[in-house]
Amino acid sequence: MKGIKVWVIAAVLIIACFLLYIFISGTAQTAPEGKNVSVVSSMNDEDVENHSDDIDGEEEQEEDTGQEQSVTVVIKEKVKEIIEGAIRFFNDDKKIVAIGDSLTEGVGDETDNGGYVGILNHTFEEQNIHISIENLGKRGNRTDQLLLRLENDEIASTIKKADIVLVTIGANDIMKVVRSNYTNLNMEPFEKERVNYVERLRAIFTKMNELNPELEIYLVGFYNPFERVFGDIEQLDIILDNWNHASELVTEEFENVIYIPTKDLFSNSTINLLSDDHFHPNTSGYKLMAERVLEYLDDFNEQSGLPSDETE
């Protein structure tokens, strides 16, 4: 396993460069809000003496408004699809905190509505369910950084008031290994770092329980974004499987922590579930993640004997 063939090394090096590019561009900048409006403003500044261009600018603003309306329609359709799945919900007030990396933040969601967390929020709103969600996702977060964030008074206070915490973390831990070893990639550094990742993940759950012993904590697992392009490189899949398995074992150490798998959602899909960066989910991918999270929330509700709308 430690020796990877030359052609595998070459392919993985390509992935490493791609991941490095994603990381650098992702941490260096984020897309500004109102992007379309600023583009129109630039056009008007450059062509202020051209009346026809002013008219074009107005037309573009109208198109932007139409696009915003279409985004709302898309979100509502995603919500309807989830609701039609006969999901059962808690009938009392709940506070959910979503914390972690870019998957929590919703990077890649072309509707800019917060990814799977935003879809969950829209679902609750559509059904008039009194569940509030606070999104504390931060692009680029690793386990060591999340552990430090839990020391922040404001975040700690939010966790103390929560009933449920949803966590996505660890993908950037893997990316850090890639960046540190891109000239000599093999299984060994991933295996070594996985041990450290497990320790930090355990510390994260312990800290959350210290802040709030009544929490329900859900850890969302990894998926393989490179399956379509590098599906024949077995080592990539093995690395993700090993890290997912390690994550699940950690959750089993805690009575109130549940592991939610997502890899199967993105495997062998007949539709594109990734955004233009070919790494983060698009709205369709996030919709599947939201559905999976709701399934696990519902299962816990049912197993705990908590009242649901169906039993009234």
Side-chain angles (χ1 to χ4, degrees):
M1 290 292 294
K2 291 184 179 180
I4 303 179
K5 297 180 181 179
V6 174
W7 66 272
V8 175
I9 294 177
V12 175
L13 284 176
I14 295 174
I15 298 174
C17 294
F18 178 62
L19 286 176
L20 183 60
Y21 165 76
I22 292 175
F23 177 81
I24 294 174
S25 61
T27 55
Q29 61 180 2
T30 56
E33 294 182 7
K35 177 176 62 177
N36 290 333
V37 175
S38 65
V39 171
V40 173
S41 299
S42 297
M43 288 178 59
N44 290 338
D45 289 341
E46 292 175 1
D47 303 309
V48 66
E49 295 180 356
N50 191 323
H51 180 67
S52 63
D53 285 341
D54 289 338
I55 296 176
D56 291 340
E58 293 175 0
E59 291 177 350
E60 288 193 25
Q61 288 179 331
E62 292 177 358
E63 290 177 1
D64 291 340
T65 302
Q67 289 174 357
E68 291 176 0
Q69 293 175 347
S70 66
V71 164
T72 302
V73 171
V74 169
I75 281 294
K76 288 185 176 181
E77 288 302 317
K78 297 299 179 185
V79 170
K80 287 180 180 178
E81 290 175 11
I82 294 177
I83 293 172
E84 290 171 358
I87 301 297
R88 296 176 297 274
F89 299 101
F90 302 109
N91 66 354
D92 54 344
D93 292 350
K94 293 285 182 181
K95 178 177 177 58
I96 297 178
V97 172
I99 193 167
D101 51 29
S102 56
L103 296 180
T104 295
E105 186 178 331
V107 175
D109 179 2
E110 63 267 32
T111 66
D112 292 326
N113 275 271
Y116 90 91
V117 177
I119 293 176
L120 289 178
N121 191 45
H122 281 284
T123 301
F124 297 144
E125 289 179 353
E126 285 284 313
Q127 290 293 288
N128 294 317
I129 299 169
H130 300 295
I131 298 180
S132 63
I133 304 181
E134 185 166 353
N135 193 330
L136 299 179
K138 187 174 182 181
R139 189 172 190 164
N141 250 199
R142 302 187 306 269
T143 49
D144 57 327
Q145 295 168 325
L146 177 56
L147 196 53
L148 287 174
R149 291 180 69 199
L150 292 176
E151 299 295 333
N152 178 280
D153 290 341
E154 186 175 349
I155 291 179
S157 177
T158 302
I159 297 293
K160 288 178 181 179
K161 298 174 184 176
D163 298 293
I164 296 170
V165 173
L166 306 174
V167 184
T168 64
I169 201 70
N172 292 298
D173 294 60
I174 296 176
M175 289 173 64
K176 183 179 179 181
V177 178
V178 174
R179 294 194 307 275
S180 300
N181 299 273
Y182 69 91
T183 59
N184 184 30
L185 278 178
N186 56 67
M187 294 288 288
E188 184 175 357
F190 291 98
E191 296 297 301
K192 183 178 180 180
E193 182 57 27
R194 190 183 66 191
V195 175
N196 299 326
Y197 161 75
V198 165
E199 293 179 357
R200 292 190 295 265
L201 189 63
R202 186 181 291 117
I204 287 170
F205 297 148
T206 299
K207 179 63 178 178
M208 287 183 176
N209 281 326
E210 289 175 354
L211 293 171
N212 186 349
E214 303 301 319
L215 273 180
E216 298 166 25
I217 304 172
Y218 295 82
L219 176 66
V220 181
F222 307 113
Y223 61 92
N224 185 358
F226 304 112
E227 184 177 88
R228 282 193 172 188
V229 180
F230 300 105
D232 56 340
I233 302 180
E234 183 181 1
Q235 283 78 6
L236 288 174
D237 220 36
I238 292 174
I239 290 170
L240 288 170
D241 284 342
N242 289 344
W243 281 60
N244 270 327
H245 182 62
S247 300
E248 186 172 10
L249 288 178
V250 173
T251 65
E252 292 174 355
E253 298 176 12
F254 300 83
E255 292 184 0
N256 63 326
V257 183
I258 298 94
Y259 175 78
I260 303 179
T262 63
K263 183 183 175 185
D264 61 302
L265 300 177
F266 293 83
S267 297
N268 303 315
S269 174
T270 57
I271 63 173
N272 180 31
L273 299 175
L274 299 180
S275 64
D276 291 340
D277 64 15
H278 304 290
F279 187 78
H280 296 94
N282 57 22
T283 303
S284 296
Y286 278 124
K287 192 267 290 188
L288 292 180
M289 290 178 64
E291 286 180 330
R292 177 62 57 82
V293 170
L294 285 173
E295 289 173 8
Y296 274 75
L297 289 175
D298 186 52
D299 284 345
F300 185 87
N301 177 26
E302 188 174 22
Q303 293 170 12
S304 300
L306 296 174
S308 67
D309 291 339
E310 286 194 353
T311 60
E312 290 186 341

